């Protein structure tokens, strides 16, 4: 028998994922700043592109959190 779909803590999980993603953005920005003279332009561009995707994910998390809260 399948487990019932327990979504009671979805908003909490989404909030945690959002915070983790924000932290990863900060860490990668700090890395680029600290190693600016040592990393290639390609590596820097890759990090910046990844951060853009992370920012898009954050917006998705925020939207999902709003949906979860409104359904509660």
């Amino acid at each position: 028998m399948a487990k019932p779909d327990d979504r009671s803590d979805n908003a909490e999980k989404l909030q945690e994922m959002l915070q983790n993603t924000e932290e990863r953005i900060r860490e990668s920005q700090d890395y680029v700043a600290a190693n600016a003279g040592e990393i290639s332009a390609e590596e820097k561009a890759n990090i910046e592109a990844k951060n853009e995707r992370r920012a898009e994910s954050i917006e998705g998390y925020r939207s999902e959190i709003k949906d979860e809260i409104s359904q509660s």
Side-chain angles (χ1 to χ4, degrees):
M1 182 173 194
K3 291 195 287 183
D5 189 14
D6 181 12
R7 303 178 131 217
S8 62
D9 62 348
N10 275 5
E12 283 179 39
K13 289 178 182 177
L14 289 164
Q15 183 64 37
E16 186 175 326
M17 290 188 308
L18 184 147
Q19 290 169 341
N20 289 340
T21 304
E22 288 175 333
E23 180 63 24
R24 284 189 205 94
I25 289 173
R26 282 190 295 275
E27 288 172 354
S28 64
Q29 290 170 335
D30 291 346
Y31 172 80
V32 169
N35 298 288
E38 301 170 14
I39 61 174
S40 68
E42 182 180 2
E43 183 179 1
K44 182 179 178 186
N46 288 340
I47 292 169
E48 290 171 349
K50 190 164 195 169
N51 280 347
E52 287 177 22
R53 292 189 300 273
R54 286 174 171 150
E56 291 170 6
S57 292
I58 287 171
E59 290 306 312
Y61 294 147
R62 286 185 176 138
S63 177
E64 288 184 52
I65 290 168
K66 284 182 186 178
D67 288 347
E68 287 295 327
I69 291 172
S70 68
Q71 292 176 9
S72 299

